[in-house]
Structure formats: C-alpha cells, structure tokens
Amino acid sequence: MAIVRSIPSTRVINGLQIATSDIAIVSELNYSTKGEEAIIIKDVPTCKLKLDSNTTDHIKVKVLTNVLILPDKNKIDEEWDEIIVESGACIEFRYAGNYWYIMSSDGLKLPE
C-alpha cells in the first residue's frame, strides 16, 4: 500500500497554511484528505476516505475501487452520514457552512 504525491504546494485552509500536494494517488484502506486538489484511489479492494475540513475545503476524488466517503463532522449535503462511490466514479466536494457539499458527481450510490 502506498501514497504517491505530485507537485508539492501550499494552500491556506481555514486561515491556516497547509503543506500538501496537487494530486495524491492513494492505495490505502483508510485515508484522510490533506489539502490535495485531487485524489485518485486505486489498487486496494476498498477504501474508507475521511473528508477533513481542517486541511481541505475543496477536493475532486476519482475512484478505481469501491470507496466509503465520510465527513469529519456533520453530514454530506446536510443529509448523508456517508456515501458509497463505486469504481470508476468521480466526485467533487466543497466544504462550506460546516457541511460538505457534492458539487458534481458521475457515480454515487446513496444509502437507503
């Protein structure tokens, strides 16, 4: 399992300067966002991704495996405690007003 990072970058999130990278390729069973612009998750059977509002306020996630996405606090779209994203999907999130919002998606499976 591994995390491969692209070009290092610095972002200001919630008034704090965060050292991060533009893109991370993640092959871990569990991962928390760290200010990346985009994450590609692959080469693991499943992954649990935590959206961390302390380090990230906008992220695009491309998945090449099944991924459970959880917010660090409150809900996604003010409704969901978690979402399941199937292999091949891409989803974009924004953090605003203490909630994570889905801005764009091409493959969600929402819990019933």
Side-chain angles (χ1 to χ4, degrees):
M1 298 202 222
I3 300 168
V4 178
R5 298 193 179 280
S6 72
I7 303 165
S9 64
T10 303
R11 291 193 169 76
V12 176
I13 307 293
N14 298 321
L16 300 174
Q17 194 170 19
I18 305 291
T20 187
S21 61
D22 285 343
I23 299 172
I25 299 173
V26 176
S27 297
E28 298 283 328
L29 297 175
N30 294 288
Y31 186 76
S32 292
T33 59
K34 294 172 178 51
E36 305 89 346
E37 182 178 323
I39 295 175
I40 301 165
I41 302 173
K42 65 180 200 164
D43 297 335
V44 288
T46 61
C47 179
K48 185 185 291 185
L49 175 65
K50 179 177 148 187
L51 301 171
D52 186 346
S53 62
N54 294 311
T55 62
T56 309
D57 61 1
H58 178 220
I59 191 157
K60 295 175 191 156
V61 181
K62 173 67 178 178
V63 302
L64 301 175
T65 188
N66 294 328
V67 178
L68 175 67
I69 301 176
L70 305 150
D72 61 339
K73 53 183 134 182
N74 294 325
K75 296 180 182 277
I76 297 171
D77 279 352
E78 301 182 20
E79 187 173 353
W80 308 104
D81 292 324
E82 61 187 33
I83 59 172
I84 298 167
V85 182
E86 293 183 334
S87 181
C90 186
I91 184 167
E92 180 179 4
F93 294 96
R94 285 263 186 197
Y95 184 76
N98 291 319
Y99 289 96
W100 283 98
Y101 292 98
I102 298 168
M103 304 308 289
S104 145
S105 168
D106 70 356
L108 285 180
K109 219 180 157 181
L110 299 172
E112 295 179 14

